[in-house]
Amino acid sequence: MPDHDSTALLSRQTKRRRVDIGVKRTEGLSPNHLKKAKLMFFYTRYPSSNMLKTYFSDVKFNRCITSQLIKWFSNFREFYYIQMEKYARQAINDGVTSTEELSITRDCELYRALNMHYNKANDFEVPERFLEVAQITLREFFNAIIAGKDVDPSWKKAIYKVICKLDSEVPEIFKSPNCLQELLHE
DNA sequence: TGCTCCCCTG
DNA sequence: CAGGGGAGCA
């Protein structure tokens, strides 16, 4: 390819790049997007694909990207529910007989496991509402197991149905592509 | 049919 | 976390 042609091509690409700076949509999902998604999990366990699109405006969506994001939250939930069940069974083994004895504080083992998973750097203040939802989830598992419902292969479905209604509004700041810097800097 | 959830793997 | 498969829903 003659030099003047490649020069012209570069010129066009440069122009396009300048134009794109305004939106600057990334090709795929970055580690920062993953980190952001994990923080969003503190507010929403079951985000709709539509919601995700509005909160990840710097991402160029397509089928794969959308399903990947959806998949992330699915994986988040798996870890979440596994921890809940494990902790609930542990409590039962430890002799706990009432849900009143079950509470989630910021220094309990379960909280630390969750925080380590979704907020490893521990540079984000986990919202109080998440602790409430987590506690409800834990008690939900506890009661189900105590009642022997876990003999039913699909016993967790009922719990999922309860938890999916407890999503909170995700703060507006999460809609900003630079929300991580804004969130973790103060 | 396409999307989403969940389960199970690796 | 990603892949793959089965189930449910529109």
Side-chain angles (χ1 to χ4, degrees), chain A residues 1 5-21:
Chain A
M1 177 184 286
D5 277 1
S6 59
T7 300
L9 178 58
L10 282 176
S11 177
R12 283 198 298 276
Q13 291 179 331
T14 301
K15 281 182 181 175
R16 182 179 303 126
R17 189 176 303 120
R18 289 218 179 87
V19 171
D20 285 346
I21 284 177

Side-chain angles (χ1 to χ4, degrees), chain A residues 96-103 135 138-140 142-143:
Chain A
V96 176
T97 58
S98 168
T99 58
E100 301 309 309
E101 305 173 50
L102 251 40
S103 62
Q135 180 162 303
L138 178 61
R139 293 184 171 183
E140 224 28 74
F142 180 88
N143 287 328

